[in-house]
Amino acid sequence: MEMEEKRMQNEFALDVRNLSVNYKIYEGILDVIPGLSLHVGKAERVGLIGETGCGKTTVLKAVARVLQSPPARIKTDGIYVTGTSIDGRAGMKQVRKNVSMIFQDPSTSLNPTLKIDTQMMDILKSQFPKHSKSEYRQMMLDSLAAVSMPAPERVLGSYPIQLSGGMRQRVCIAISLMKDTELMIADEPTTALDVTIEEQILELLDKLVREKKKSLILVSHALGAVRKITDRVYVMYAGNIVEAGPTREVFQNPKHPYTIGLLAATPRLTGEGIADGIAGDLPSYLDPPEGCRFALRCPQCSDQCLQTPPKLESVSADEGSWQVACYNAGKGVTTCQA
Amino acid sequence: MIEVKSLRKEFKTKFGNLVAVDDVNFAIKKGEIFGLVGESGSGKSTIGSMIVGAYGATSGSITFHGDTDISKDSKFRPHALKQKIQLVFQDPGGSLNPRKTIRQILSVPLELYSDKKLSRAETDALIAEALKQVGLPLSYMDKYPKAIGGGEKQLVCVARALVANPDFIVLDEPTSALDVSIQAKITNKLIDLQQKNNLSYLFITHNLCLVRNMCTRLAVMYLGNICEYADTAEFFDNPRHPYTQMLLASIPVLSDEEESCKPQRIKSVGEIPSPLNKPTGCSFHPRCPYKKDICSREVPPMREVREGHFVCCHCWDSLDRG
């Protein structure tokens, strides 16, 4: 009930209620997301982790209203950005005003045929119309300075190809910072970058989000990156959220068999060898299992798991801060061996 | 097994000579997994390609089994030698021909390297053996690459290397295109095969955590030079080169125990310069927090700081663990 109250008071920067997405393709219907709810509080930093094909990007695209439909078919009880629904034309306006997005690959999210200043100018003109050229230029320089870009003057006059990967990602972040949005969505912002550059970009995101009190969703399959800069984490498997809770605690002591397996499979710096990973593959979205979608790969699968999908249920003392969707959560599953 | 001495490779480009690998020395022992770590553009794949003979070295030498020189292009190599050194690529999707079945793909090395012409049944038996070794069902023989998953495709690539019956396999980022749960499976399989068949690997990667759990020794590269070279345990306990410390400190980790293994005081700054325009002296000096005057003037020599632990830095003894 506490949650309902928060909803009423618009305390969420993002509130997704029972979103379901399927794609109609030639072979049939891909039931990608059966029903997913998540929320991001104001000035909260939330991680969304999961492996390739688990539907992370589909959720984000639905939130940013960039999911192509058809083939996607979206059904939802409502997606709210800072308390306003994103439905219809007014909703689109709301999204444009309050949501900014950073994509995975900085080399393809910038237009290769335009100089950086031209690309930044487009955004500025739409956000802050009727300023003079020198004012715009100053704004651009300011936003590049905010992402600690070396030699901002030179960068403005370059084409994306003349910049390195890290610099391009900094430009993308600078562009997303130019409008003062409430919610920032970062879709694998560091996957294409080297580890020393990744560190710099993560630090930068962390600093900016803290300073400007923005809400952040960081989507990644790099678990370490998520641990570094988020407060809360959602773990996704095959279109469902299987575990949600405070990041550090979840990583220290995961409860869902999938989370356990995923964390065990990640090689550690302490060097105690590598666990065997999780047996099997993602189920096909064309014909997903009736019960729990992880059941067929799960070491603790019971009859109940095969029949009805489990719901997210609280496993922590304070109501709802740590939830797991598993019938056997916390009942002695400690390892997830293949 | 493989010994690399003052190896150098230049590429001619429109903008001048690009020195991808410069004065690199290391040796890989028999039955060892040797890790070669570095960020993109550090020249690690170039070394792998030279060992398999994709192109020859500009100068320096690579010897195989002590006496055979393999620093030239593979067209100068006898067939029997090519067979002994195999390669697994990073992208399993791109390295399998989509229009051939797994059987056709795996029979190519057999046709190339066997002394006599094999009958259909013999070929099939050898292919089945290789598939069994990597743990794939025999029914996969008549499938096309697109019908199997990414991890399984990579296993087919490993099987393709194995049917040639090699002594040495170059693994060029074999798991970086795969998900974590699949990566674990493949690496365990690789370690397993290495022990069973007494193979040696050159494991090229940017993932230090993987190296920590897999390799016996490793070398870290920066801009074409090796900056540190040691046994895995010694390396992670006692990293001496500032770049290695920076690299270790940058790894995003999953637990507090790991956090405490990392060097604490160094911070990542700057970016890798273009190899076309290398800094003078030590190539790392523009990013180095400990730099002195000498660093920009002279290229540091490789020094042995402990047994088997080599560091290429002017100030290695004045730095602490960071």
Side-chain angles (χ1 to χ4, degrees):
Chain A
M1 283 308 99
E2 197 190 334
M3 200 121 117
E4 281 306 311
E5 269 169 38
K6 277 195 177 169
R7 272 182 186 157
M8 302 299 285
Q9 293 164 356
N10 298 337
E11 279 199 18
F12 289 147
L14 171 72
D15 186 6
V16 178
R17 298 183 199 171
N18 198 16
L19 167 75
S20 67
V21 180
N22 56 43
Y23 293 88
K24 190 158 186 270
I25 56 166
Y26 175 73
E27 286 88 353
I29 290 168
L30 291 173
D31 186 12
V32 177
I33 294 171
L36 174 146
S37 302
L38 61 82
H39 61 90
V40 180
K42 291 223 163 115
E44 189 184 27
R45 302 165 304 157
V46 170
L48 187 63
I49 56 180
E51 294 181 288
T52 317
C54 74
K56 304 178 295 247
T57 307
T58 302
V59 173
L60 293 188
K61 283 189 167 170
V63 169
R65 287 271 310 258
V66 289
L67 193 59
Q68 215 176 34
S69 169
R73 299 190 294 192
I74 308 168
K75 250 196 253 160
T76 170
D77 295 351
I79 299 177
Y80 299 86
V81 171
T82 57
T84 318
S85 165
I86 63 160
D87 255 359
R89 276 183 149 231
M92 195 73 212
K93 241 182 174 171
Q94 175 72 1
V95 169
R96 288 189 177 142
K97 200 167 137 228
N98 278 318
V99 181
S100 58
M101 197 156 175
I102 304 165
F103 294 94
Q104 171 172 358
D105 188 354
S107 52
T108 53
S109 51
L110 293 170
N111 187 333
T113 62
L114 298 177
K115 286 184 179 166
I116 301 294
D117 55 357
T118 324
Q119 305 195 36
M120 294 179 104
M121 188 71 93
D122 283 347
I123 316 272
L124 284 176
K125 275 188 178 155
S126 74
Q127 286 298 313
F128 311 99
K130 298 191 183 119
H131 282 262
S132 73
K133 242 183 180 168
S134 59
E135 278 172 314
Y136 281 137
R137 192 163 177 85
Q138 195 50 47
M139 281 185 206
M140 289 190 245
L141 288 172
D142 288 347
S143 62
L144 286 179
V147 296
S148 29
M149 176 76 82
E153 291 276 355
R154 181 179 72 84
V155 169
L156 283 182
S158 334
Y159 289 98
I161 197 167
Q162 295 169 307
L163 306 176
S164 69
M167 280 164 103
R168 274 182 230 153
Q169 196 60 291
R170 276 176 211 264
V171 170
C172 291
I173 295 176
I175 289 178
S176 74
L177 282 173
M178 282 196 302
K179 45 182 195 165
D180 203 14
T181 56
E182 194 75 32
L183 177 70
M184 195 156 174
I185 299 178
D187 186 2
E188 312 240 7
T190 56
T191 311
L193 304 175
D194 277 320
V195 54
T196 51
I197 311 298
E198 173 179 27
E199 154 103 354
Q200 294 169 18
I201 298 284
L202 286 176
E203 295 256 303
L204 175 71
L205 267 179
D206 192 35
K207 194 184 104 202
L208 292 171
V209 170
R210 274 171 198 271
E211 269 174 11
K212 304 207 167 181
K213 294 215 164 27
K214 290 189 179 210
S215 312
L216 170 79
I217 309 184
L218 176 70
V219 178
S220 187
H221 60 252
L223 305 182
V226 171
R227 181 178 184 273
K228 196 175 155 81
I229 66 168
T230 65
D231 313 313
R232 210 153 54 78
V233 67
Y234 288 101
V235 184
M236 270 185 90
Y237 178 77
N240 287 317
I241 285 173
V242 294
E243 185 159 358
T247 309
R248 281 175 186 244
E249 277 90 340
V250 170
F251 277 30
Q252 199 65 43
N253 187 14
K255 299 260 197 273
H256 193 280
Y258 174 67
T259 326
I260 295 173
L262 192 65
L263 284 164
T266 314
R268 302 297 178 105
L269 201 56
T270 39
E272 56 267 295
I274 306 165
D276 252 344
I278 307 169
D281 279 312
L282 267 182
S284 158
Y285 286 119
L286 274 175
D287 181 24
E290 225 164 82
C292 172
R293 289 190 169 183
F294 188 61
L296 296 174
R297 301 173 75 182
C298 184
Q300 284 253 318
C301 167
S302 62
D303 286 348
Q304 195 185 10
C305 303
L306 293 172
Q307 281 151 13
T308 34
K311 291 202 166 57
L312 276 174
E313 280 176 30
S314 176
V315 291
S316 57
D318 53 331
E319 203 53 41
S321 75
W322 191 341
Q323 297 175 306
V324 178
C326 179
Y327 293 120
N328 302 314
K331 289 187 195 155
V333 197
T334 47
T335 53
C336 186
Q337 288 285 323
Chain B
M1 182 125 215
I2 293 254
E3 200 172 3
V4 171
K5 272 190 194 149
S6 45
L7 188 66
R8 185 183 169 86
K9 177 73 193 173
E10 287 175 18
F11 292 101
K12 287 206 171 64
T13 68
K14 229 170 35 182
F15 311 102
N17 272 7
L18 188 153
V19 183
V21 174
D22 191 6
D23 193 21
V24 163
N25 300 286
F26 63 87
I28 303 172
K29 295 176 195 149
K30 192 165 171 52
E32 178 177 57
I33 304 181
F34 186 86
L36 197 55
V37 187
E39 297 183 285
S40 34
S42 61
K44 53 194 188 328
S45 289
T46 310
I47 291 183
S49 310
M50 278 192 279
I51 290 176
V52 294
Y55 29 74
T58 309
S59 66
S61 75
I62 313 172
T63 50
F64 183 60
H65 277 315
D67 47 0
T68 332
D69 179 51
I70 53 166
S71 54
K72 284 206 186 98
D73 200 316
S74 68
K75 60 184 174 230
F76 300 103
R77 291 186 192 182
H79 243 45
L81 187 61
K82 285 187 198 166
Q83 175 188 358
K84 291 294 169 203
I85 303 174
Q86 291 291 320
L87 174 69
V88 175
F89 294 97
Q90 171 174 6
D91 176 16
S95 57
L96 297 174
N97 186 338
R99 303 186 58 171
K100 295 206 164 159
T101 62
I102 309 286
R103 185 202 304 268
Q104 286 169 317
I105 289 168
L106 293 183
S107 64
V108 174
L110 291 171
E111 281 164 27
L112 277 174
Y113 299 130
S114 65
D115 321 328
K116 56 180 172 61
K117 193 152 170 43
L118 294 171
S119 73
R120 180 98 194 238
E122 281 170 318
T123 316
D124 276 3
L126 285 169
I127 292 174
E129 170 66 25
L131 283 177
K132 210 175 106 199
Q133 278 202 333
V134 297
L136 288 175
L138 297 187
S139 58
Y140 275 39
M141 251 196 240
D142 293 310
K143 285 192 176 176
Y144 286 92
K146 69 167 186 200
I148 64 178
E152 291 167 329
K153 273 187 220 162
Q154 192 60 285
L155 286 175
V156 171
C157 295
V158 174
R160 176 170 61 183
L162 284 177
V163 281
N165 194 19
D167 290 346
F168 184 79
I169 303 182
V170 176
L171 301 163
D172 193 353
E173 308 239 16
T175 60
S176 52
L178 306 171
D179 272 324
V180 189
S181 65
I182 299 164
Q183 164 179 296
K185 244 183 292 179
I186 308 271
T187 40
N188 279 322
K189 197 86 228 168
L190 285 170
I191 296 172
D192 212 34
L193 289 168
Q194 185 257 341
Q195 282 161 355
K196 260 191 216 148
N197 301 351
N198 197 19
L199 297 167
S200 315
Y201 291 159
L202 173 67
F203 190 76
I204 299 173
T205 183
H206 60 259
N207 188 337
L208 272 168
C209 294
L210 254 184
V211 170
R212 169 82 172 136
N213 290 293
M214 222 182 143
C215 302
T216 35
R217 285 191 305 147
L218 75 151
V220 177
M221 290 193 69
Y222 185 77
L223 269 185
N225 300 103
I226 286 183
C227 53
E228 191 157 0
Y229 168 40
D231 286 351
T232 309
E234 160 74 11
F235 175 85
F236 282 93
D237 287 343
N238 189 16
R240 298 315 291 253
H241 196 282
Y243 174 64
T244 341
Q245 292 182 356
M246 187 184 281
L247 203 60
L248 279 169
S250 308
I251 303 174
V253 293
L254 300 184
S255 65
D256 292 334
E257 295 92 72
E258 288 172 274
E259 204 76 59
S260 62
C261 302
K262 301 198 309 192
Q264 302 297 331
R265 253 174 283 144
I266 196 155
K267 267 208 132 17
S268 164
V269 284
E271 299 192 357
I272 301 189
S274 157
L276 277 170
N277 190 8
K278 269 203 203 175
T280 52
C282 171
S283 50
F284 184 61
H285 84 263
R287 296 174 75 184
C288 182
Y290 306 109
K291 65 167 177 273
K292 294 180 183 161
D293 289 347
I294 185 172
C295 301
S296 54
R297 278 182 280 117
E298 279 174 42
V299 179
M302 199 65 142
R303 287 196 194 90
E304 188 163 17
V305 299
R306 270 196 208 177
E307 203 194 334
H309 187 164
F310 295 86
V311 177
C312 183
C313 177
H314 285 299
C315 343
W316 68 272
D317 51 354
S318 59
L319 338 163
D320 53 10
R321 248 212 67 184

